[in-house]
Amino acid sequence: MKRNWHRVLISLTAMILFISSATTALAETGRTNAQRGLAEATMSQNAVLYSGIERELYHLKALNPSRMRYEVIGQSLEGRDLYLVTISDAQGIDNLSQYQQFMQAAVNNPETAKKLLQANSAKIPVFFNASIHGNETTGTDGVLQLISKLQTDESFETRKILKNCIVLINVCQNPDGRVSGYRENASGTDLNRDFITQSQPEVQAVVSNVATKWFPTAMLDLHGYMGSGNVLLEPCTGPHNPNYEYDLTLKYSLPHAEAIASDLRSLFNRKVDIPYKEWKEGWDDYPPIFASQYFMYLGAVGHTLEVKFPNQQGVNTVSAACYASLKYLSGNKIKLMKNQFSIYERGVKGLSVEKDMIFPAAYLIPMEEDRQRNPLEAAEMIRHLLDNRIIVKQAQQPFFADGREYPAGTYVIPMNQGLRGLVNTMLWKAENVSKRASTMYDISAYSFPLLCGFDATAACKPFDAILGEVRNAPLLRGSLEAGAWNGYLLPVENNHAYQAVNELVRSGIDVYRTAAANEPYGAGSFYIPKGPGVTADLEKLAAEYAIHIKGISTVWGKLQPVRLLKTAVIGNDGGTATVMKEMGFDVTPVPYYEVNNGYDLQKHGFEAIVVSGMKDFWENSYDVYGTTWSLDEVGRKEVIRFAKKHDYIGVGYAGAKLNEEVGKLRLKYMFTGTEEDGQTAENGICILQGSGADPVTYHFGGAETVFTYGPVWFGNLSRQAEVSARYGKKDFYLAGFWKNPKASAGAPAILHDNSSAYDAVLFGIEPAFRSYTPGTYGLMANALYYLGYDE
């Protein structure tokens, strides 16, 4: 399924009922025999195991070699190959590079591209993305069935498709999930919520080898399974993100969907729900995080297809939908490609038709210390923009914009470019959509500057500047202060400071955290005593991580030794485990389904636990097939049992419930929604009032920008609880969808215990949500260090 709110997921157990004959078990790496057997037994009668995909592609190519190529475009997190199939007629296959170059050039030269379009030679690039959720198996099997048809069918319709289309097929977006039989990839990340962030290798492979290489004119993301008896096919309900050129997108996305729906009704006598036509709200395309929505920013007609059944009927539906799509696209290729190029043309010419969206002239990203609070994240943003084929320039001389002077070296992202919608959705401050809908499906605010914590300014008026083209992200340099020091001080400039410290600790070097607020760089800096080899190690780390290490002779106040506890992370977004592991913490993602199946945390040597999630993650939500995508009774009992004897960090509703069961911090908690309807997808960007002297909010001060998803806030605190940070009191809510943010104004948002028995931290916000929020990763890092302090 595209999303996991009130929609249903597949039940592995119930799927077995649909099988006419079980698939023969085949060894897969990294899973137990029991898990492999369960995953394999749930596939349809013509299902192909992941381990058999390459063999299947080899045989399919041999059927008609002149029509088909396949290649490995990357590896999954666990190292499994990702296969991209390309199909066209012989002329198309022989000239793939020319078609790629044409589409790439069209992005910023759309007028020329329109003139060059010729009905008898142009080929429309079409992308099918299969099984982004590992347990939605029919996508992969459906595209294999489609490939077989395109390779063997000699009908007029198929030959027309091959003549007019370049068909690009990602055969299995989530190999690790296909092997395990579960939705997420091996990190616990939902890949269909990673397409604007691109934190996972499976998504990075598609962006670099399909999206920004081909700029497909149309794409289908292939999912299942719906709770109703109908197939679902986008376009979506509102509200629509204003950064789309939605009038142009809808011009062909709706007819395209209707053509597919017509064929499916004829073939299977089953209704197809098109949300745009039939629903008022509840299936919106506002977030830029989903696969189909990301491709819309590239000018594509993007759809999510949800088939109904996890059986052969579902496989047939996928195959038929893709073929119907190709029929429509091959017959309307010139109109669709011109429409796509018109999206680019609006950007290049700076044309606007959406009255509610006025694009700036450019975005400016300075790098000077007095103008840029986080050069590391700013540099990462430049890299990310370039990876997405966005034009980035750099000022060769000082210039003025909106009445303010900017120095040479400032990065300039001009908005007169074909992908301006993607630029704006990455760099704007987002907006408050709370009054535009009564419900939203997923996140409603995304802004790299606000979520990553760097400075980017929108220049509203055109300006003159001498600019040079940028092809590579800036390389930052670190330093180690020379001198006869007793030790070294590492201030927390950015997330690399934590990474460097953890590398030192893992190598056996003593590191301490300063607790005195009168330190030159404030409480929470890291102190490393001088010892054999320490200076050389720090020189290496300064160069590798571009950090600045100061020499120091005297340290004030108490020093807290840094220890890395072996910590289990249990949740359903994957962000905490992914980013904390990258930062060098000893964390392990433990899937909720393993805990539900009897996983013993203590026997596996864990010393602490992080539990995060909304109400439906803690409350044992079942789908119509009888399975859960959350902790069930067995899982809840295990995390409660463990937390009663170990340290824990609780995030969101699930974290508050864990604390309630354990009883460490006695308090009252409130959350969005009610006990009757549960949490909605209320979320957003807001201001947090923190204390830079508190161990959980070291280096986070009085006006920090944070993200919350299913906000939680606290009250009626006992003496056991210490407040680290509160929601702002006035105008603290900046962007997103939250019906009544005033209910939490001024309320505690982050707490920790103040006893030495064992430690607990509670977050009402999401400090590392889905890898979206580098600006607040430090809050989770601080909490993990806090658990390791010895009193």
Side-chain angles (χ1 to χ4, degrees), residues 297-312:
Y297 285 107
L298 305 184
V301 169
H303 301 281
T304 296
L305 172 72
E306 297 272 1
V307 303
K308 165 59 184 171
F309 295 123
N311 63 355
Q312 190 60 38

Side-chain angles (χ1 to χ4, degrees), residues 655-691:
K657 290 296 290 185
L658 174 64
N659 176 74
E660 181 179 62
E661 294 288 346
V662 174
K664 175 64 175 175
L665 300 178
R666 300 191 182 279
L667 47 80
K668 181 180 179 182
Y669 62 92
M670 288 70 71
F671 59 97
T672 55
T674 66
E675 289 290 348
E676 288 72 33
D677 64 12
Q679 284 173 288
T680 67
E682 290 178 271
N683 64 91
I685 302 170
C686 52
I687 298 296
L688 201 69
Q689 302 291 335
S691 168

Side-chain angles (χ1 to χ4, degrees), residues 195-366:
F195 262 83
I196 197 75
T197 316
Q198 299 161 21
S199 70
Q200 301 299 303
E202 298 92 337
V203 173
Q204 294 163 8
V206 171
V207 170
S208 61
N209 292 281
V210 180
T212 60
K213 183 176 284 187
W214 279 101
F215 292 94
T217 306
M219 73 86 67
L220 262 67
D221 199 33
L222 306 171
H223 290 249
Y225 305 93
M226 295 300 299
S228 72
N230 304 330
V231 174
L232 180 146
L233 181 63
E234 297 174 352
C236 295
T237 67
H240 308 293
N241 196 303
N243 290 306
Y244 301 131
E245 306 291 342
Y246 199 75
D247 60 316
L248 293 179
T249 299
L250 187 65
K251 185 176 180 180
Y252 290 102
S253 65
L254 186 56
H256 182 209
E258 289 173 332
I260 298 171
S262 176
D263 272 22
L264 293 182
R265 285 192 294 267
S266 298
L267 288 169
F268 305 116
N269 194 30
R270 185 171 296 281
K271 187 176 183 295
V272 177
D273 291 328
I274 299 177
Y276 180 87
K277 294 175 64 176
E278 301 181 36
W279 303 344
K280 181 180 178 181
E281 57 183 12
W283 194 271
D284 61 271
D285 56 9
Y286 194 91
I289 59 177
F290 304 116
S292 56
Q293 275 62 55
Y294 170 77
F295 276 87
M296 286 170 62
Y297 285 107
L298 305 184
V301 169
H303 301 281
T304 296
L305 172 72
E306 297 272 1
V307 303
K308 165 59 184 171
F309 295 123
N311 63 355
Q312 190 60 38
Q313 181 177 327
V315 174
N316 294 342
T317 303
V318 167
S319 179
C322 292
Y323 192 79
S325 170
L326 291 171
K327 287 198 299 181
Y328 175 83
L329 297 170
S330 66
N332 296 276
K333 65 176 183 178
I334 299 300
K335 291 190 292 185
L336 274 117
M337 295 177 78
K338 282 185 175 180
N339 190 66
Q340 180 182 18
F341 299 164
S342 292
I343 292 174
Y344 302 150
E345 189 173 14
R346 281 186 182 175
V348 170
K349 293 184 175 181
L351 305 175
S352 293
V353 296
E354 173 58 64
K355 63 180 180 179
D356 296 326
M357 174 51 65
I358 299 176
F359 293 103
Y363 281 96
L364 311 177
I365 301 180

Side-chain angles (χ1 to χ4, degrees), residues 54 117 155 209 243 260 313 330-331 377 386 420 482 521 559 564 628 635 681 696 703 781 785:
E54 184 175 17
L117 279 175
S155 68
N209 292 281
N243 290 306
I260 298 171
Q313 181 177 327
S330 66
E377 293 301 332
L386 293 171
R420 71 169 177 184
Y521 298 95
L559 294 176
L564 302 180
T628 181
V696 179
Y785 289 136

